[in-house]
Amino acid sequence: MKNNITNKSGKLSVWTKIGYGMGEAGSQFSFTLISSYLTIFYSDVVGLAPAAISIIMLVARVWDAVNDPMFGAIAENTRTRLGRFRPYILLGAPVLALFNCLTFLKLDLPDEWKILWCAFTYIGCGMAYTVVNISVGCLANSMTAVNKERVSLNAYKGVISGISAMIINAFTMPLILHFGNQSTSSARGYFMAAVIFSIVSVVCFWICAGTSREVIKPKREQRRQSALRALIRSFQYTLSDRDAVLLILAMFIFLTGLFGRIGIMGYYFIYNLKNPLLLATFATAMSGGNMVVNLYAPYFLNKVDKKWIGVFSAICQSLCCVAFFFLGEIQAEAAIIIVGFLYGATNIVPLVSTGLGAEIIDDNWVRTGIRSDGIIYSCISFSTKFGNAIGGSIGIVVLGAVGFVANSEMTPQILTRMNAVINFGPVIFFIISAILFGMNRMTNKKGQENEEKIKIMMKSDD
């Protein structure tokens, strides 16, 4: 096997972990508004029909099917003084901020031009997010080769992500209502919230790039390959890895349910509960639960095979969604907040994905001699965005099919059907993802064996 590491890696300082975690804070500030409020913005503010919203999101994600892995291949074959991934964070963050604002800019256009404008800004935002977010994610696997340090690094990232999400969720709806004169259908409210969050996201991304260092640097090959050949080669190694494919599928299915619910969750509070401000309280509680995950999950991830933690988490998410439906029917707002916290506190799948993904990348590298971290991570990232789009587009179409009409009074029967779509729909996806997680063959023991092999590779470079 070809030896292609140039530097050692080991323990990371607390400040390094905090600095890296700011990259996830940047992602939260740039993406949460889109994932949670864009569907409502399109339907209630821009006035797009559910079918048009669905088409825009599906077209954007089809492009991401090409864009995400292609950028992953480009990034992993980049060689600069700053590393492979950091330059893309530094340069991509302002572009992402610009498109994030444009996505929530309503223009007075004919209906067909509105659709084109929304498609252009949403696709542009997705491309910019690909560049920055994939670079942040890949950076973690380039900062250390020690699996326990990676778990710790991602736990710090998770805590910072939770704090950021709590801030965002606590202030988003109040900001929208403040700048929109207490209306949930004000274009100015959404745009000003996007501007504020976008500025903060740039600062967070730059802190991440400035405090992180890439120590795992594959050597430049003697014969340089074209970007296309590098992409094809990385895909071959990735898609021939059963465990990588299972992880990608599990994440896609899980996130289709998770983001599908997030994309239409606002309707649950605006129309079913008739209390839009409760969404801020609920989302804050859920984010608090997400932060708690990072306090206990690292222990279990190091003691129990990560795939079984994924199974457990997916089942817990299912049970919480069932509870949301029945609590919504009886308008039990306080209980919804409590279950919202539990919903966040049992969502360990993001940490499972990063930990298991890193071990699969190492295993693939040890077996093939090719480190396809960009491709594997970009495929997982693609599953995040594709799951977001598929879930959101299916959700809004099904809501329309059961009788939803924006900015109108609906019958109790229609509201119950909406409640079922929002909360029972994700359960199906969570159960399927649990099965896929359980089928993965990667174990903690195998990951530790690969870690020792990589240490030997690194020593032989000295």
Side-chain angles (χ1 to χ4, degrees), residues 270-339:
I270 294 173
Y271 294 99
N272 287 88
L273 300 177
K274 303 186 187 312
N275 187 353
L277 276 177
L278 187 65
L279 174 58
T281 306
F282 172 85
T284 303
M286 184 174 65
S287 300
N290 284 329
M291 188 168 61
V292 169
V293 167
N294 299 280
L295 303 179
Y296 74 83
Y299 173 81
F300 292 103
L301 289 169
N302 287 323
K303 295 293 183 180
V304 181
D305 288 342
K306 296 173 181 62
K307 64 177 184 178
W308 297 122
I309 303 295
V311 171
F312 167 79
S313 179
I315 292 174
C316 288
Q317 299 293 284
S318 300
L319 295 175
C320 287
C321 284
V322 172
F324 288 137
F325 172 81
F326 290 106
L327 293 173
E329 289 296 288
I330 62 175
Q331 304 283 303
E333 295 184 352
I336 288 172
I337 300 302
I338 295 171
V339 177

Side-chain angles (χ1 to χ4, degrees), residues 163-311:
I163 294 172
S164 303
M166 288 180 67
I167 294 171
I168 295 166
N169 291 320
F171 285 97
T172 300
M173 185 55 74
L175 280 174
I176 291 171
L177 293 174
H178 172 74
F179 288 108
N181 294 321
Q182 303 307 308
S183 172
T184 60
S185 57
S186 166
R188 185 172 184 268
Y190 286 92
F191 180 74
M192 291 305 299
V195 169
I196 293 170
F197 290 155
S198 296
I199 292 172
V200 176
S201 74
V202 172
V203 175
C204 293
F205 282 129
W206 281 353
I207 291 174
C208 171
T211 58
S212 302
R213 293 293 181 271
E214 298 180 43
V215 299
I216 297 181
K217 301 176 181 179
K219 289 182 178 179
R220 190 188 300 269
E221 296 183 4
Q222 294 295 320
R223 182 180 178 183
R224 290 185 59 84
Q225 294 181 319
S226 68
L228 179 59
R229 290 190 66 182
L231 176 64
I232 293 173
R233 181 201 63 181
S234 294
F235 261 122
Q236 288 174 337
Y237 286 114
T238 300
L239 298 181
S240 63
D241 189 316
R242 177 183 181 273
D243 292 329
V245 172
L246 282 172
L247 176 59
I248 291 167
L249 288 175
M251 289 303 297
F252 166 64
I253 298 296
F254 179 85
L255 294 170
T256 296
L258 182 73
F259 283 114
R261 184 178 185 278
I262 289 175
I264 58 177
M265 185 174 64
Y267 298 106
Y268 178 69
F269 292 91
I270 294 173
Y271 294 99
N272 287 88
L273 300 177
K274 303 186 187 312
N275 187 353
L277 276 177
L278 187 65
L279 174 58
T281 306
F282 172 85
T284 303
M286 184 174 65
S287 300
N290 284 329
M291 188 168 61
V292 169
V293 167
N294 299 280
L295 303 179
Y296 74 83
Y299 173 81
F300 292 103
L301 289 169
N302 287 323
K303 295 293 183 180
V304 181
D305 288 342
K306 296 173 181 62
K307 64 177 184 178
W308 297 122
I309 303 295
V311 171

Side-chain angles (χ1 to χ4, degrees), residues 55-238:
I55 291 172
I56 290 172
M57 292 186 171
L58 285 175
V59 169
R61 296 291 74 85
V62 167
W63 168 241
D64 271 343
V66 178
N67 180 47
D68 276 30
M70 183 173 291
F71 174 74
I74 292 171
E76 72 182 27
N77 286 280
T78 296
R79 301 293 184 273
T80 73
R81 180 177 58 84
L82 295 177
R84 294 182 293 163
F85 305 110
R86 291 169 66 212
Y88 293 110
I89 301 173
L90 291 168
L91 299 176
V95 178
L96 173 58
L98 173 63
F99 271 97
N100 200 45
C101 294
L102 293 178
T103 300
F104 286 95
L105 176 63
K106 179 187 176 183
L107 299 180
D108 187 13
L109 299 170
D111 289 345
E112 58 272 17
W113 285 101
K114 283 182 181 178
I115 295 174
L116 291 176
W117 170 252
C118 290
F120 167 72
T121 54
Y122 185 43
I123 291 172
C125 190
M127 292 176 65
Y129 186 78
T130 288
V131 170
V132 181
N133 186 253
I134 287 179
S135 297
V136 171
C138 291
L139 191 59
N141 295 329
S142 296
M143 292 170 65
T144 178
V146 180
N147 286 322
K148 287 186 178 180
E149 284 297 295
R150 286 172 176 166
V151 170
S152 176
L153 184 66
N154 285 304
Y156 272 84
K157 181 180 76 172
V159 171
I160 293 174
S161 173
I163 294 172
S164 303
M166 288 180 67
I167 294 171
I168 295 166
N169 291 320
F171 285 97
T172 300
M173 185 55 74
L175 280 174
I176 291 171
L177 293 174
H178 172 74
F179 288 108
N181 294 321
Q182 303 307 308
S183 172
T184 60
S185 57
S186 166
R188 185 172 184 268
Y190 286 92
F191 180 74
M192 291 305 299
V195 169
I196 293 170
F197 290 155
S198 296
I199 292 172
V200 176
S201 74
V202 172
V203 175
C204 293
F205 282 129
W206 281 353
I207 291 174
C208 171
T211 58
S212 302
R213 293 293 181 271
E214 298 180 43
V215 299
I216 297 181
K217 301 176 181 179
K219 289 182 178 179
R220 190 188 300 269
E221 296 183 4
Q222 294 295 320
R223 182 180 178 183
R224 290 185 59 84
Q225 294 181 319
S226 68
L228 179 59
R229 290 190 66 182
L231 176 64
I232 293 173
R233 181 201 63 181
S234 294
F235 261 122
Q236 288 174 337
Y237 286 114
T238 300

